[in-house]
Amino acid sequence: MAGNPPKRKVSRSNTRSRRAQWKAEVPTLVKTVENGKTVYSRPHQAKVVTDSQGTELFLEYKGRKVADA
């Protein structure tokens, strides 16, 4: 089951005004310098480590390997 059924009808006006309050947010980014290049990334996200050819090796978080790519 997908939850409880509605107790009463919600008017079209109320539904649309509630939906109108939703706003997209700009993602927070952290500026870091890697190999002389400025890189923007999301905070608290694992970073993909690549070799010199650009092949993805593994995921790294706070200097530790956390997963294979």
Side-chain angles (χ1 to χ4, degrees):
M1 300 217 46
N4 296 328
K7 300 293 185 196
R8 66 180 64 88
K9 181 174 180 174
V10 177
S11 71
R12 182 180 295 171
S13 173
N14 285 346
T15 301
R16 289 180 178 168
S17 63
R18 181 182 67 247
R19 289 179 181 161
Q21 297 303 313
W22 184 88
K23 296 170 189 68
E25 295 179 359
V26 178
T28 57
L29 298 175
V30 176
K31 182 167 83 170
T32 57
V33 178
E34 296 177 11
N35 301 329
K37 293 193 296 185
T38 303
V39 179
Y40 293 92
S41 60
R42 297 188 61 196
H44 306 291
Q45 296 283 318
K47 181 178 72 170
V48 177
V49 177
T50 58
D51 61 3
S52 59
Q53 285 86 30
T55 307
E56 297 177 354
L57 300 174
F58 56 89
L59 293 172
E60 179 183 73
Y61 183 73
K62 291 188 178 180
R64 295 184 190 167
K65 178 180 173 183
V66 292
D68 292 325

